[in-house]
Amino acid sequence: MTTLHDITCPFCSLLCDDLSVQARQRRLQVVNHGCVLAARGFKQAPPGAQAYAHQQPVSHTEAVKHAAILLKKSRRPLIADLGTDINGLRAALHLAELTNAVIRHKYEDSTLHNLNVMQTGGGMMTTFAELKNRADVVVFIGDKITTKYPRLLDRFITTRQAQFLPKGQRRKLICIGQASRQEKIKLGESLLHIPATGNGLLNLLTLLKCTLLGQRGTDQNIAREKLKKLKQASALIQAAHYPVFIWSAAALPADSADLLIRTITDLIAKLNQRQRAAGLALTDNNAGGSLQQVATWQTGFPAGLRFTDGFPDSQPDPYTPYPAECDALVWISSLERDTPPTLDVPGIIISNNQAVRKGATIYLPVGTPGIDHAGNLFRADAVINLPLKKLRDSELYSTGAVLKQIIARLQAISGC
Amino acid sequence: MLMRLKGGRIYDPANADTGKKRDVFIEDGRLVKPGRNQKIDAVIDVSGKIVMAGGIDIHTHIGGGKVNIGRMLLAEDHADNRVRRGRLTRSGSGRCTPSSFITGYRYAEMGYTSCFEPAMLPVNARQTHMEMADTPMLDTGAYVLLGNDDFFLRLLKAGRDQQLINDYIAWTIQATQAMGVKTVNPGGISAFKFNQRQLDLDEKNRHYGLTPRTILTALLTAVADIAIPHPLHVHGCNLGVPGNVKTTLDTIAAAQGRPMHLTHVQFHSYGQEGDRNFSSAAAEIAEAVNSNPNISIDVGQIMFGQTATTSADTMMQYAGHAHAHPNKWVCMDIECDAGCGVVPFKYRDMRFVNALQWCIGLEIFLLVDDPWRVFLTTDHPNGAPFTSYPHLIRLLMDKSFRNDMLKRIHPEAAGASHLASITREYTLHEIAILTRAAPARSLGLTDSGHLGAGARADIAVYSPDKNVERMFSRPAYVFKNGERVVKDGKVCALPKTTTHVLRPDYDAGIERSLKRYFDDYMTMRLGNFKLSTAELESYNESALTVQPGR
């Protein structure tokens, strides 16, 4: 039994890299700096190395061959989920280019909310070390943000280790939306919670923006208690040296997410005319932020990407998660456990979870990045890219390796 | 296999060849002097053609966070400029901020074989190198950005020994796989985080009480002490501010004779004369460069049209955001390390300030005497996309063309510039210095930028044309490591490439202080911050080239 230190956890995009993990043969257990997602993720048993085609066990090479033949026949495959490391994503984009595929990340919708606002206005952003060392007031917008990012508070907000805060100063956390249990317990009196749901969130934020910028806002339909808290929040933000507004698009009401994000980013931009303030749009788990980065540098199209006649292209409106034109599915899932969508098309399942092989036309098992093979992912603040280590012996291929094998086979049979 | 390029006219300033007819021999990826009876396996006839070493861009933003933010932000540029995959080549898009594959192809198709990313944030080293690994055709390298990182500023504030600072810088170069050191608005990016909106050379950062001059001096000393071949690469204070010529001249004086490279100096050469309080100070800057042999510059020429300005200089990018076109911009404070600002911009020939900026850049090129100390750049994409280099070369080589262009710009700007009276025309020999020989020498690349025996066989072959813009847009052939990779201006093979890195020595004791700092304040472990050689080589299965120190 050995204990490995400074291990990066790939199971949420905080990518905590201070974990201690105990390895007993192939079994792994987080023994320090874990969280509920890490504990579950590292404990998962690897899949068997057996590949399947048409429900029959076949050799890996045979399964790769079948996958290439299936993709050669397809006019418009859908490459979906895309929970894998950067090398896997690089290969997935290459495969998509060769097959005129549609690319759909599991959390594509929330990536698009942030992107819509960025591409029409921009933003004033920050990263975790600035949050940790500089932020004296933190504003959470949305519902239970820490549920998806369990150690966000411990690592960057409730910690007292900060270069630019007076010694011992506790940060104030303002939560507009639903506060999680963790937020309530850990912050105690440092939490100013202004509950809101649905359209109420947009009303509150708009009013906060108006209050902070000295504009007229309407406070009808907002309870007196909330108005009082909103005034408190406004005073705290105004007096702060470096307030940071944090949101996760996935934790905002979908029908008003674009408007909410624009309200926040506009407010931050205007606040900066007289004081410093910054936003932190947490990118999605399951490699959501990584796909956005890689797709941008390789193709110039960050999300909603498809390839048409060998050109990169945007998905036409209206956006649909699973376009009807797709005649084959490539489902890549080696991080979050999930089940593939039930589509009436042949499916190539590339996964670290053998339970999903049922119903697949072709199933190719792969390892988990950061456990069975090395790799990289981008962190939720969209700048830092961390290494993932190989922690155990494994005969499983990485997703990137499997996709490259399929590409090589496809190129061989189609001469492309 | 021995290959002969037969009958070309050689422009190889490093070996004092100026248009002389000479054959060039290639074996195992290198230029060689063949033995008297050695069998020649292949001959390529380049009679009458112009043969130069492959181009080297010493300052081009081709990889890393801010470039990628630029790509994300400028969706229009990508939607309007899509490129289909080819038999060999990958697809992509973008003219101002091209995607990575397209960047590599377009550079190669102009005869360039090496490009250096000048602003790699230490915390963003992985992304920078990954993007460069996806930039085919080119050897790459990066200068690591220092001078606003809190660990360094804390050392300096505490009055720690220069040796410790040297150790930290050498350690950072190794940990991030860098090829040089750059500083951007020294202390200013940090000051902006404390809500300071400007910082001149002798103004103090509010938190640290340090001035840019102090920071610059410590960095200049470190670069000299640890024997980094390329001088400290300096993006000075007050970028883009009218009257900043004084700061730039003070910065040159602050170097006190130590080697220093001033980058995109066009943006730092502005006076405040005239009704519009904006004037050319190119003559003063050129005079200072001419009389200070320790100074080298690249120009950062602007060209008219849409582009995106991308810089680590958050302070000045924020200050300029009101000029964003289209009206959207991103600024970011980054990880107690630095920052970035991306502001799309359209330079217009009939806008006085832009037209004069265009003149100022050209004036600097034409007034600096020594071509070995001025490099051809547009600070891609800040002044213009790199694809405008052939046009820029024509402006430098062809006075009548230049004067024709001058007639098209804002007349008051043309009138306020001395450009029309400058008769100098660059020669092919001088262009080969600006774009090949001088960058290689400045970077310490002894086997690049020339065509002597032992050099890498990175070669561009151009068909002579009175219109040099056409000539430099479409080389007849480009060879990378001896392999023909471009034919008639189109990519025909994908070569192996390398990443240039340095390995300066440091006292390993620095890691004790760094570990404490990382454990207390940073958000990743020290061991995970370091980018190992094995990891870097895994990005595109290529080997690094370790350059010796000076």
Side-chain angles (χ1 to χ4, degrees):
Chain A
M1 188 173 72
T2 50
T3 304
L4 308 160
H5 299 287
D6 293 352
I7 299 306
T8 308
C9 169
F11 298 106
C12 91
S13 57
L14 289 187
L15 297 183
C16 301
D17 71 334
D18 57 351
L19 275 67
S20 298
V21 174
Q22 220 166 56
R24 186 177 292 161
Q25 290 164 343
R26 290 195 191 184
R27 289 187 171 278
L28 303 173
Q29 191 185 2
V30 181
V31 290
N32 199 14
H33 293 147
C35 70
V36 58
L37 298 179
R40 196 165 62 208
F42 282 94
K43 218 163 56 186
Q44 285 165 7
Q50 180 63 57
Y52 289 82
H54 307 286
Q55 307 299 323
Q56 298 301 313
V58 293
S59 72
H60 180 83
T61 315
E62 195 69 9
V64 165
K65 191 178 101 186
H66 281 287
I69 292 168
L70 198 158
L71 286 170
K72 185 171 184 301
K73 285 184 195 155
S74 166
R75 294 168 63 84
R76 174 72 92 195
L78 170 68
I79 304 183
D81 193 276
L82 290 149
T84 184
D85 65 326
I86 288 173
N87 266 334
L89 296 171
R90 288 164 85 196
L93 288 173
H94 192 186
L95 181 65
E97 178 187 279
L98 290 169
T99 56
N100 287 321
V102 172
I103 287 279
R104 272 295 176 275
H105 186 265
K106 182 178 179 182
Y107 301 120
E108 188 111 7
D109 305 27
S110 65
T111 303
L112 282 166
H113 290 311
N114 281 321
L115 197 65
N116 289 342
V117 176
M118 189 229 198
Q119 290 186 332
T120 49
M124 191 104 188
M125 311 303 285
T126 195
T127 68
F128 288 141
E130 301 291 353
L131 169 69
K132 173 177 170 175
N133 285 284
R134 209 175 282 280
D136 40 2
V137 169
V138 180
V139 187
F140 277 6
I141 298 148
D143 293 343
K144 302 181 180 176
I145 289 174
T146 48
T147 317
K148 272 183 79 182
Y149 309 94
R151 290 181 66 210
L152 184 66
L153 286 179
D154 289 349
R155 291 187 63 206
F156 312 127
I157 295 171
T158 53
T159 173
R160 306 263 181 116
Q161 285 169 319
Q163 295 185 67
F164 310 114
L165 294 185
K167 215 170 183 161
Q169 179 179 326
R170 290 190 74 171
R171 305 161 216 263
K172 199 81 186 175
L173 178 68
I174 300 164
C175 175
I176 308 176
Q178 293 182 52
S180 70
R181 194 162 163 266
Q182 191 198 145
E183 288 153 32
K184 287 178 186 162
I185 293 169
K186 291 201 168 151
L187 271 302
E189 284 183 4
S190 297
L191 175 69
L192 175 63
H193 180 206
I194 315 177
T197 50
N199 282 340
L201 189 56
L202 186 58
N203 290 344
L204 274 181
L205 267 180
T206 308
L207 190 56
L208 178 71
K209 183 179 160 190
C210 291
T211 314
L212 277 164
L213 302 178
Q215 297 164 345
R216 275 173 76 96
T218 169
D219 57 6
Q220 284 171 354
N221 307 325
I222 298 177
R224 184 170 295 184
E225 176 65 13
K226 281 191 189 174
L227 284 176
K228 201 175 134 197
K229 284 184 174 178
L230 210 59
K231 274 197 177 145
Q232 277 178 284
S234 172
L236 283 168
I237 292 165
Q238 239 159 7
H241 292 290
Y242 196 83
V244 173
F245 297 75
I246 301 179
W247 69 94
S248 153
L252 297 173
D255 52 358
S256 57
D258 285 21
L259 204 49
L260 277 164
I261 297 168
R262 185 175 303 285
T263 306
I264 306 164
T265 53
D266 280 355
L267 168 62
I268 295 167
K270 296 223 166 66
L271 280 176
N272 273 284
Q273 290 171 1
R274 57 166 192 249
Q275 70 178 90
R276 286 310 321 275
L280 187 40
L282 301 172
T283 64
D284 287 303
N285 292 344
N286 201 42
S290 299
L291 176 61
Q292 189 180 346
Q293 292 285 350
V294 180
T296 303
W297 85 59
Q298 287 205 345
T299 72
F301 291 78
L305 170 66
R306 65 173 186 173
F307 291 85
T308 303
D309 198 20
F311 289 96
D313 190 11
S314 298
Q315 188 63 32
D317 288 333
Y319 169 87
T320 44
Y322 303 122
E325 57 181 330
C326 292
D327 56 3
L329 169 71
V330 181
W331 196 72
I332 297 167
S333 169
S334 62
L335 287 170
E336 285 185 1
R337 290 262 156 126
D338 207 345
T339 44
T342 316
L343 302 177
D344 194 19
V345 295
I348 301 166
I349 305 292
I350 298 168
S351 177
N352 63 352
N353 178 12
Q354 64 197 23
V356 299
R357 82 169 172 81
K358 281 180 195 154
T361 315
I362 292 144
Y363 165 73
L364 282 151
V366 288
T368 304
I371 290 182
D372 297 305
H373 62 87
N376 291 86
L377 279 171
F378 276 93
R379 206 169 67 177
D381 50 2
V383 176
I384 309 304
N385 172 324
L386 280 158
L388 311 173
K389 293 173 189 148
K390 178 181 165 85
L391 305 184
R392 67 181 170 206
D393 287 337
S394 171
E395 71 272 31
L396 294 163
Y397 288 105
S398 68
T399 302
V402 168
L403 290 172
K404 279 183 186 172
Q405 291 157 4
I406 295 174
I407 289 168
R409 191 78 203 185
L410 184 65
Q411 286 176 323
I413 58 177
S414 37
C416 64
Chain B
M1 188 181 109
L2 183 67
M3 184 163 72
R4 175 186 186 185
L5 299 191
K6 187 183 148 198
R9 281 162 49 205
I10 309 293
Y11 286 85
D12 183 17
N15 294 301
D17 270 346
T18 305
K20 206 164 64 182
K21 210 168 143 183
R22 169 163 77 82
D23 292 352
V24 171
F25 295 89
I26 302 167
E27 189 172 35
D28 297 333
R30 298 266 160 183
L31 292 165
V32 292
K33 206 173 167 183
R36 195 169 285 176
N37 299 318
Q38 198 175 340
K39 181 171 165 274
I40 296 166
D41 301 290
V43 178
I44 295 179
D45 187 0
V46 294
S47 300
K49 298 198 188 300
I50 288 159
V51 180
M52 294 183 178
I56 299 172
D57 198 339
I58 201 164
H59 187 109
T60 172
H61 297 282
I62 54 169
K66 63 186 171 306
V67 187
N68 226 27
I69 291 173
R71 293 182 184 121
M72 262 180 227
L73 196 60
L74 271 185
E76 312 79 337
D77 181 46
H78 294 274
D80 295 345
N81 296 282
R82 296 178 303 130
V83 181
R84 190 183 189 173
R85 76 176 169 86
R87 191 180 55 81
L88 279 175
T89 51
R90 297 286 303 273
S91 68
S93 65
R95 190 190 69 86
C96 308
T97 48
S99 53
S100 62
F101 301 120
I102 304 307
T103 300
Y105 306 143
R106 296 293 173 266
Y107 259 115
E109 287 169 353
M110 300 190 310
Y112 276 71
T113 49
S114 301
C115 285
F116 292 85
E117 162 57 52
M120 175 173 72
L121 268 56
V123 295
N124 193 237
R126 280 192 174 83
Q127 179 174 4
T128 307
H129 283 293
M130 276 187 182
E131 290 188 31
M132 294 197 297
D134 274 343
T135 306
M137 315 300 289
L138 303 170
D139 292 344
T140 57
Y143 320 142
V144 67
L145 197 129
L146 292 161
N148 284 286
D149 45 318
D150 288 299
F151 184 82
F152 169 81
L153 295 173
R154 285 161 71 102
L155 287 183
L156 209 56
K157 185 188 178 191
R160 301 301 294 268
D161 194 50
Q162 179 73 39
Q163 184 55 48
L164 202 66
I165 289 170
N166 296 354
D167 287 336
Y168 168 60
I169 291 172
W171 178 87
T172 307
I173 289 173
Q174 292 228 22
T176 61
Q177 304 280 1
M179 172 63 186
V181 179
K182 186 195 195 189
T183 190
V184 170
N185 189 356
I189 303 170
S190 158
F192 182 62
K193 295 174 186 174
F194 295 100
N195 203 24
Q196 276 175 274
R197 302 300 168 115
Q198 60 175 36
L199 197 72
D200 207 347
L201 192 62
D202 292 307
E203 272 180 274
K204 285 181 179 171
N205 173 303
R206 191 174 286 161
H207 178 78
Y208 288 103
L210 298 166
T211 65
R213 184 189 295 274
T214 315
I215 295 165
L216 196 64
T217 304
L219 290 171
L220 284 166
T221 307
V223 167
D225 287 353
I226 57 183
I228 298 168
H230 184 51
L232 180 66
H233 202 92
V234 177
H235 156 152
C237 317
N238 286 333
L239 176 136
V241 177
N244 63 11
V245 56
K246 184 178 178 313
T247 311
T248 309
L249 295 175
D250 289 348
T251 306
I252 291 173
Q256 297 185 325
R258 282 172 288 209
M260 179 166 75
H261 178 79
L262 291 177
T263 190
H264 42 68
V265 77
Q266 178 276 129
F267 291 108
H268 301 267
S269 303
Y270 302 150
Q272 272 179 303
E273 311 294 317
D275 296 343
R276 296 169 189 261
N277 297 321
F278 184 73
S279 58
S280 169
E284 288 102 304
I285 295 295
E287 173 50 32
V289 174
N290 289 339
S291 55
N292 287 278
N294 57 313
I295 301 296
S296 61
I297 59 168
D298 65 83
V299 172
Q301 177 66 35
I302 69 131
M303 294 291 180
F304 303 117
Q306 177 70 52
T307 195
T309 67
T310 70
S311 172
D313 193 343
T314 338
M315 178 184 265
M316 301 322 292
Q317 290 295 89
Y318 178 78
H321 78 266
H323 303 294
H325 179 91
N327 184 18
K328 50 186 176 180
W329 51 278
V330 171
C331 280
M332 197 164 189
D333 301 314
I334 298 178
E335 208 65 5
C336 297
D337 204 26
C340 82
V342 179
V343 182
F345 193 78
K346 189 167 186 176
Y347 295 101
R348 296 170 201 266
D349 53 4
M350 291 311 279
R351 189 188 283 156
F352 175 81
V353 169
N354 301 159
L356 197 53
Q357 285 179 300
W358 180 83
C359 295
I360 291 168
L362 293 173
E363 287 172 12
I364 294 170
F365 271 117
L366 296 164
L367 294 173
V368 170
D369 296 332
D370 180 2
W372 288 92
R373 290 192 289 123
V374 53
F375 311 127
L376 188 135
T377 67
T378 55
D379 186 17
H380 165 79
N382 292 316
F386 65 84
T387 39
S388 56
Y389 286 180
H391 180 75
L392 174 55
I393 292 173
R394 187 172 182 199
L395 288 168
L396 298 178
M397 290 186 69
D398 185 340
K399 180 179 180 304
S400 67
F401 175 69
R402 187 163 72 226
N403 285 345
D404 286 347
M405 292 292 116
L406 191 60
K407 285 178 196 146
R408 296 190 193 175
I409 67 167
H410 194 290
E412 284 178 50
S417 163
H418 298 298
L419 195 57
S421 65
I422 303 176
T423 55
R424 182 174 177 189
E425 289 183 330
Y426 268 80
T427 62
L428 272 179
H429 174 78
E430 287 175 320
I431 293 296
I433 297 174
L434 258 61
T435 56
R436 279 98 171 138
R441 184 182 287 185
S442 177
L443 291 164
L445 303 173
T446 52
D447 62 355
S448 294
H450 71 92
L451 297 173
R456 284 169 191 272
D458 293 353
I459 304 167
V461 179
Y462 298 101
S463 303
D465 191 324
K466 272 185 99 170
N467 178 344
V468 290
E469 180 172 347
R470 204 157 48 205
M471 174 177 126
F472 279 102
S473 300
R474 193 184 157 89
Y477 305 113
V478 179
F479 297 85
K480 181 92 197 74
N481 300 324
E483 182 186 3
R484 187 161 51 178
V485 295
V486 170
K487 189 165 181 274
D488 296 330
K490 289 285 162 216
V491 168
C492 62
L494 303 173
K496 281 239 177 237
T497 57
T498 192
T499 305
H500 294 284
V501 296
L502 294 174
R503 292 283 182 265
D505 290 334
Y506 58 85
D507 180 342
I510 188 72
E511 288 207 352
R512 282 197 298 275
S513 327
L514 277 162
K515 186 169 184 321
R516 270 198 306 277
Y517 176 78
F518 268 69
D519 287 348
D520 287 348
Y521 301 125
M522 293 302 275
T523 55
M524 67 179 98
R525 294 297 210 204
L526 184 69
N528 291 327
F529 170 86
K530 290 196 276 186
L531 170 55
S532 73
T533 298
E535 185 186 330
L536 179 53
E537 288 181 340
S538 77
Y539 294 165
N540 66 354
E541 294 155 10
S542 72
L544 305 188
T545 302
V546 177
Q547 291 295 332
R550 189 161 26 82

